[in-house]
Amino acid sequence: CMAAAAELRPFFGQPGGDWFVSRTGYTGEDGFEVALPAAEAPAFWTALVAAGVRPCGLGARDTLRLEAGMNLYGQDMDESVTPLESGLAWTVVLDDARDFIGKAALLEQRHVGPRRRLAGLVLQERGVLRSHQRVVAADGGEGEVTSGTFAPTLERSIGLARFPVATDGMVQVE
């Protein structure tokens, strides 16, 4: 199954017995996700570490995905936020005959335009952006930080915030 993984195109998956490998790159890197039986996970983990893979925690995952501008379900998106409001329109095919739950609502939203949008933030001064902080744009539009952290590679705090779609310009964090 792992040999077949090397041949996968991004955003595709391949079953192999009880395993499923997909090339998702969730953090913005060219990466893989592996679904396997729980009983086989410890040996797989040990083999990865022995092969030189360096483990990292959720903090590293969060930093990487924010630097890549990627959503985290439950923070930046959920059932109340559409892909069009989350910068994820590229993940939904609306212009073909295939039907799916919510397609009509997304087509309508595409026609009239979304009410909200997700925007990236870079804090210019010292501090750390955190979820649920209120942010105010220069034009008066108010939003809320959905995710934030310190980005070591940028040496500053970064985040995502949801704003009314018309909001534009510099943002003040409160």
Side-chain angles (χ1 to χ4, degrees), residues 144-157:
E144 181 178 86
V145 174
T146 58
S147 287
T149 192
F150 182 79
T153 57
L154 300 174
E155 297 183 352
R156 56 186 69 246
S157 187

Side-chain angles (χ1 to χ4, degrees), residues 98-127:
R98 185 178 59 90
D99 196 17
F100 56 87
I101 295 171
K103 182 176 182 178
L106 290 174
L107 286 168
E108 175 64 21
Q109 188 175 62
R110 183 174 71 174
H111 176 70
V112 299
R115 298 177 296 114
R116 305 173 291 181
R117 68 180 178 93
L118 198 62
L121 303 176
V122 177
L123 197 59
Q124 297 299 314
E125 299 174 8
R126 290 182 54 90

Side-chain angles (χ1 to χ4, degrees), residues 84-99:
L84 305 183
E85 295 173 320
S86 298
L88 295 171
W90 62 274
T91 67
V92 182
V93 177
L94 295 173
D95 295 328
D96 69 7
R98 185 178 59 90
D99 196 17

